[in-house]
Amino acid sequence: MRTIIIEDEKPSARRLNRLLQAIGVEVSVMLHSVEESIAWFEQNEHPDLIFLDIQLSDGLSFEIFDKIDIQSFVIFTTAYDEYALQAFKLNSVDYLLKPIDDEDLKKAVDKYQSLQPKTNKLTLDFEEVKKLLVNPLEREYKKRFTARVGQHLKIINATDVECFYSENKGTYAATLDGRNYLLDTTLENLETELSPEIFFRVSRKFFVNVDHVKDIVSYTNSRLQIKLNRFSEAEIIVSRERVQDFKLWLQ
């Protein structure tokens, strides 16, 4: 498949290119600005797949689509927070939050390959996504969850959750009273349901509540270990790729 990257940060573009090469995807060209991309599309056959950064050095990448009728599938690569993720889910093959994780990248490419034989173009509502990015509306995040306990439903306030975590294909809420409740959801769903001011996904397995962090300790390989007030069933490690974003989030 013919693939291009549109990304203004050249180190990020090179890293994404290396990750794609590792899973057998060859990138034909890397573009770095709105102006350069428009000129390229005017003179070249459109690729099968575009990895598209949102914020480029000379404007939002949606300006490309104002000028060019893109005939390609799109996977967003973005550093934008959770408020826009639902729009990405609805309007693209997939989205990848920076820093891009290699397993998430492979899943996105696999998703594209499963869709590609069924249609030769994905219809995108770029105006809807752009509206959310430029003028994000105040979002209401989930304030409570329910968990089945025997014949009863337990109401769990989000503020009482120290962390959400996945284990053996289940998703759990660890609460201040030291209990762990099995929820009928996934960590992927929680990405758009939890307030990004309170919860941060430190790894593929954990979301942590900043209000219940007791200590943060340096860990091996430039990672961090988080200690919560009550939760002790497993080590909570901030993956190396997310350490910088986690530190910025804490400020």
Side-chain angles (χ1 to χ4, degrees):
M1 60 183 168
R2 293 170 296 116
T3 303
I4 71 169
I5 294 171
I6 302 177
E7 163 67 68
D8 65 326
E9 297 179 359
K10 293 184 179 180
S12 295
R14 289 193 294 268
R15 180 177 182 273
L16 176 55
N17 186 28
R18 289 195 300 271
L19 291 175
L20 287 167
Q21 287 179 338
I23 59 174
V25 177
E26 292 297 324
V27 175
S28 57
V29 66
M30 291 187 285
L31 306 170
H32 306 295
S33 69
V34 172
E35 182 179 2
E36 182 185 20
S37 299
I38 291 172
W40 187 89
F41 279 113
E42 288 176 339
Q43 300 175 22
N44 293 274
E45 182 181 358
H46 291 193
D48 300 310
L49 180 62
I50 303 170
F51 285 87
L52 176 67
D53 188 18
I54 301 298
Q55 184 69 58
L56 301 176
S57 58
D58 56 346
L60 289 175
S61 58
F62 298 110
E63 296 173 29
I64 301 168
F65 300 91
D66 292 336
K67 302 290 186 182
I68 305 292
D69 181 20
I70 301 296
Q71 304 291 317
S72 307
F73 286 83
V74 175
I75 294 177
F76 289 111
T77 62
T78 177
Y80 279 96
D81 277 335
E82 281 80 353
Y83 69 81
L85 296 188
Q86 188 62 37
F88 296 152
K89 282 184 177 180
L90 294 175
N91 292 280
S92 69
V93 172
D94 212 337
Y95 65 88
L96 296 168
L97 277 179
K98 296 179 181 179
I100 294 172
D101 179 88
D102 53 354
E103 289 190 16
D104 292 339
L105 176 62
K106 187 177 187 309
K107 288 179 182 177
V109 172
D110 289 344
K111 182 178 177 182
Y112 157 74
Q113 291 175 331
S114 70
L115 290 172
Q116 197 274 333
K118 301 175 185 177
T119 178
N120 58 12
K121 182 184 177 184
L122 192 67
T123 301
L124 303 182
D125 188 350
F126 287 105
E127 286 303 314
E128 181 64 23
V129 182
K130 183 177 178 180
K131 181 172 65 176
L132 285 173
L133 290 169
V134 178
N135 298 302
L137 301 175
E138 288 295 324
R139 286 201 51 183
E140 286 290 329
Y141 295 98
K142 288 197 72 167
K143 296 179 180 178
R144 63 188 64 87
F145 297 83
T146 58
R148 185 170 295 280
V149 181
Q151 299 299 313
H152 303 272
L153 280 179
K154 169 74 174 178
I155 298 174
I156 304 167
N157 291 322
T159 53
D160 294 333
V161 177
E162 288 196 327
C163 68
F164 294 92
Y165 66 97
S166 63
E167 184 176 80
N168 297 326
K169 298 184 179 180
T171 301
Y172 295 84
T175 57
L176 290 173
D177 59 4
R179 300 283 300 275
N180 299 298
Y181 296 96
L182 178 63
L183 304 179
D184 185 19
T185 188
T186 65
L187 292 187
E188 284 67 34
N189 288 339
L190 290 176
E191 283 184 329
T192 57
E193 295 175 343
L194 297 174
S195 169
E197 292 185 0
I198 301 173
F199 290 93
F200 187 90
R201 190 169 187 175
V202 298
S203 67
R204 285 192 293 273
K205 290 189 62 175
F206 282 96
F207 275 97
V208 297
N209 184 332
V210 67
D211 294 330
H212 303 309
V213 173
K214 180 173 66 175
D215 198 8
I216 302 172
V217 184
S218 296
Y219 202 71
T220 58
N221 296 325
S222 302
R223 295 176 295 172
L224 296 173
Q225 180 180 9
I226 296 175
K227 296 184 178 181
L228 302 176
N229 292 317
R230 292 292 300 271
F231 182 82
S232 60
E233 279 77 357
E235 288 187 333
I236 302 177
I237 307 299
V238 184
S239 62
R240 184 168 55 183
E241 296 82 6
R242 304 186 191 200
V243 165
Q244 183 176 1
D245 289 339
F246 178 66
K247 289 179 178 179
L248 291 173
W249 176 72
L250 289 173
Q251 296 176 3

